[in-house]
Amino acid sequence: MKTQQLLLAVALACLFTTAQANEAPRLVAKDGRHALLVDGKPFLILGAQAHNSSNYPAGLGPVWAAAKDLRANTVLMPVAWEQVEPEEGKFDFSFVDLLVKQAREQNKRLIILWFATWKNTSAQYTPAWVKLDTKRFPANLDREGKPNYSLSPFGAETLKHDKRAFVAFMTHLKKIDEKQRTVLMVQVQNEVGTYGLVRDFGKDAQAAFEQPVPAAVLARKKPVAAASGTWREVYGDYADEYFHAWAIARYINDIAVAGRAVYDLPMYVNNALRDPLEQPPKPWKSNFASGGPTHDVIDIYKAAAPAIDIVGPDIYNVESAQVNANLRLFQRPDNALWVPEMGTKPGYARFVYAILGRGAIGVSPFGTDYFNYSNHPLGTLATDKTLVEPFERVYRMFAPIQRQWAQWAFEGRTQGIAEGDDRQPQQLDFPGWTAKLTYRLGRFGEPSWGGEFAKPAPGTEEPGGGAALAQIGPDQFILIGHRVRVRMEPAAGTGGMMLRAEEGEFDAQGRWQMRRVWNGDQVDYGLNLPAEPVMLRITMGRPR
Ligand code: DGJ
């Protein structure tokens, strides 16, 4: 190669490397799967969400301590409109500066939650000058014209000012973080919608309600009554709640578009769930926050808020049928699975296997923060290390291979499952091979032997097991899990056997380090994963 050519090649290589390192986080999709690319590679969010009032300098210490114990790689932290614009037009981002600085010192990434017009549907995080000026910043009105507690998505001034504050925030973030990319994503508002009222009945809202349904909505959300026309004509009994979802989504989109125009980070919304088992979903009867991004209106959000990448479920019902239904409903080719909140009761921890096994971009229990506060009964009562322990047990297995796992998940190689409340056996089918999972068994023997062998193993009183597998080659698997018996078998109608199960781990260079081979008692009754999780590399084979 001539010197000139060589120099050009070196220059191009440098350019490429720099571009990758400085590349903004972004979401990509392939074959219906998703990845969050950070520094150009799939990233697995092992999140820790702070409590609602930890967004002050004094609140940060207990958050970092919990995130460290949890082995989280990302902290989710609110930044509130009331905090950054306490006086109209005067912005103060000193907390954001401190947060980003400390996150870097702690070697954590951040996801920032923009608490503004709506936080759990209410206006509690708006500045006082917004709260007090009910004329400029109007509430939703009921049918009688009486104001509801929550702000109207038709408040033009509310939108204008929320947007202005958000743009100021994103501009600041770009200034301080464009080089290092500590902040990965931004959540726009928090659990939006309205309780107790299906939609705004104010003048502007009513006028919009009587307009034809926008084509973008019609194209995504299947009409119920007529192919086109007003909201009522097209969506019948669902018209009010669909309209409210559209109005809120459009409002959020306007804010997200403006924010992304100055600093283009992935943006998402979270959802206070409606019952996922009510199928088909019935019209709203005060049983959930109307207008929020519930699973049945994801299409409306996609149509009205294209600047929002993801609608994420906040999981606070630990029943396995509920959790599994929600994961199914929110994981779609047009919606990456991302669980931004989950209760911290120990029973939730096993679902991390299911969530990450299904190929989610990440998960975050809520309130993993040693602030002396507990949101019991949604979360655990603990505010010390015992709060994070059940989750750490699972995070600890994924943390060392987080990038690798995200890559495998993006390639469609992974599956995962949590023990069901029914404690029944389960099965995961991979190309060529099947994993059969059973629970509550000891590590030796078969229940059919009777006596003590037939009794549930001590410590399995509550459902707590789970496993995730990655098929890393046609006949090779990585298995991570705890409190589960796994039998690897040939797919129905084929022959084959498990040849070898190595217990071990991946080193910092991603090389497999074997600790021992499981054989004899350790495999005669399946692979019995203990209460503390283990990682196995399993090789299968077929007789020639
Ligand atoms: C869901 C909300 O998104 C969180 O901010 C918090 O209020 C929890 N509910 C309850 O602790």
Side-chain angles (χ1 to χ4, degrees):
M1 208 187 263
K2 288 202 201 103
T3 328
Q4 249 177 343
Q5 275 174 327
L6 188 71
L7 284 177
L8 186 68
V10 171
L12 280 174
C14 289
L15 201 70
F16 185 65
T17 323
T18 329
Q20 281 210 325
N22 278 334
E23 198 181 292
R26 68 193 165 98
L27 285 152
V28 288
K30 191 172 176 266
D31 302 332
R33 294 185 296 273
H34 303 266
L36 172 66
L37 298 189
V38 174
D39 302 330
K41 287 191 312 232
F43 185 92
L44 191 70
I45 304 164
L46 298 172
Q49 182 159 167
H51 280 300
N52 290 166
S53 307
S54 296
N55 54 326
Y56 289 85
L60 289 175
V63 172
W64 301 131
K68 180 163 189 260
D69 288 346
L70 177 58
R71 297 182 207 237
N73 58 21
T74 305
V75 164
L76 284 74
M77 176 64 73
V79 166
W81 186 6
E82 66 170 1
Q83 163 182 39
V84 301
E85 197 185 2
E87 249 185 87
E88 187 170 349
K90 291 203 180 131
F91 293 101
D92 173 2
F93 294 110
S94 52
F95 172 69
V96 179
D97 293 338
L98 185 74
L99 172 69
V100 171
K101 177 173 166 285
Q102 291 194 4
R104 289 177 187 156
E105 288 161 6
Q106 297 286 333
N107 201 17
K108 301 284 175 246
R109 303 283 187 149
L110 290 168
I111 290 174
I112 291 187
L113 319 176
W114 178 245
F115 284 8
T117 301
W118 297 291
K119 157 66 174 84
N120 297 15
T121 75
S122 96
Q124 66 196 107
Y125 280 88
T126 60
W129 54 269
V130 172
K131 289 192 182 92
L132 296 173
D133 198 342
T134 52
K135 277 227 165 54
R136 246 168 110 201
F137 308 111
N140 290 305
L141 300 185
D142 69 11
R143 286 187 171 85
E144 284 74 49
K146 231 176 68 226
N148 166 274
Y149 71 94
S150 121
L151 291 174
S152 164
F154 290 90
E157 283 288 298
T158 328
L159 173 58
K160 183 173 143 197
H161 286 84
D162 185 331
K163 182 162 71 178
R164 184 175 72 164
F166 187 67
V167 167
F169 160 66
M170 291 302 289
T171 306
H172 188 79
L173 200 57
K174 177 177 180 174
K175 197 171 85 200
I176 63 167
D177 199 39
E178 194 182 22
K179 284 214 176 70
Q180 276 172 271
R181 310 287 192 188
T182 300
V183 179
L184 303 182
M185 298 206 284
V186 177
Q187 179 189 292
V188 190
Q189 315 293 341
N190 189 87
E191 290 197 348
V192 300
T194 307
Y195 289 107
L197 184 69
V198 70
R199 68 171 171 94
D200 185 10
F201 291 87
K203 197 163 61 53
D204 293 345
Q206 192 55 37
F209 184 70
E210 282 156 18
Q211 294 299 306
V213 175
V217 174
L218 286 178
R220 285 253 190 186
K221 185 69 186 167
K222 216 168 138 228
V224 175
S228 64
T230 65
W231 288 85
R232 181 70 70 214
E233 284 163 356
V234 174
Y235 293 118
D237 290 347
Y238 296 90
D240 300 287
E241 65 201 77
Y242 286 5
F243 171 77
H244 201 40
W246 169 77
I248 294 179
R250 200 176 57 142
Y251 182 107
I252 294 174
N253 190 60
D254 204 339
I255 293 174
V257 165
R260 294 181 81 146
V262 297
Y263 186 32
D264 192 11
L265 286 184
M267 296 198 182
Y268 73 94
V269 291
N270 61 336
N271 173 230
L273 304 168
R274 66 177 295 174
D275 182 358
L277 301 178
E278 185 194 86
Q279 293 297 347
K282 296 200 185 73
W284 181 86
K285 308 188 287 296
S286 285
N287 49 336
F288 60 93
S290 176
T294 47
H295 68 81
D296 52 324
V297 296
I298 293 177
D299 287 320
I300 296 179
Y301 270 75
K302 295 289 172 191
I308 293 296
D309 299 291
I310 307 175
V311 176
D314 291 351
I315 298 181
Y316 287 102
N317 185 332
V318 75
E319 287 167 33
S320 56
Q322 290 269 331
V323 178
N324 293 330
N326 280 317
L327 298 182
R328 271 198 306 275
L329 290 165
F330 282 85
Q331 181 170 33
R332 314 180 354 159
D334 64 354
N335 197 60
L337 184 60
W338 156 230
V339 180
E341 292 185 34
M342 186 163 80
T344 49
K345 282 197 177 146
Y348 285 97
R350 69 195 202 271
F351 294 107
V352 173
Y353 291 117
I355 293 166
L356 300 185
R358 293 181 73 103
I361 63 161
V363 59
S364 176
F366 173 88
T368 43
D369 172 346
Y370 296 152
F371 176 29
N372 184 18
Y373 176 85
S374 147
N375 66 351
H376 184 80
L378 297 188
T380 174
L381 275 171
T383 57
D384 60 6
K385 211 170 171 180
T386 55
L387 152 69
V388 301
E389 270 166 9
F391 295 88
E392 185 276 337
R393 196 166 282 130
V394 188
Y395 273 26
R396 130 177 24 136
M397 303 308 293
F398 287 96
I401 54 164
Q402 46 187 280
R403 290 293 189 139
Q404 179 63 77
W405 189 271
Q407 180 64 39
W408 286 333
F410 191 41
E411 290 168 7
R413 297 173 179 277
T414 66
Q415 295 192 54
I417 204 155
E419 181 175 4
D421 298 344
D422 59 8
R423 328 299 298 269
Q424 289 306 300
Q426 299 161 332
Q427 180 167 326
L428 294 173
D429 293 312
F430 289 88
W433 305 102
T434 292
K436 292 194 171 157
L437 299 93
T438 38
Y439 299 94
R440 306 208 70 183
L441 304 176
R443 302 186 69 193
F444 184 96
E446 298 293 348
S448 59
W449 298 355
E452 253 202 290
F453 291 103
K455 291 199 185 129
T460 65
E461 294 72 21
E462 297 294 327
L469 288 111
Q471 187 169 25
I472 62 171
D475 301 327
Q476 202 159 57
F477 292 86
I478 295 299
L479 165 65
I480 304 172
H482 72 261
R483 284 208 196 283
V484 59
R485 175 176 291 189
V486 181
R487 278 203 166 87
M488 298 300 297
E489 296 182 2
T494 67
M497 70 201 81
M498 190 175 80
L499 293 179
R500 191 174 167 90
E502 295 178 2
E503 182 189 331
E505 68 221 343
F506 287 93
D507 68 13
Q509 280 72 46
R511 291 172 309 211
W512 177 250
Q513 301 295 328
M514 183 193 87
R515 269 196 239 127
R516 69 171 92 205
V517 175
W518 280 19
N519 210 342
D521 286 352
Q522 282 70 51
V523 301
D524 288 344
Y525 314 102
L527 301 166
N528 289 288
L529 310 190
E532 290 301 315
V534 292
M535 187 182 292
L536 297 171
R537 187 172 78 167
I538 300 164
T539 307
M540 308 296 291
R542 299 188 203 276
R544 277 185 274 275

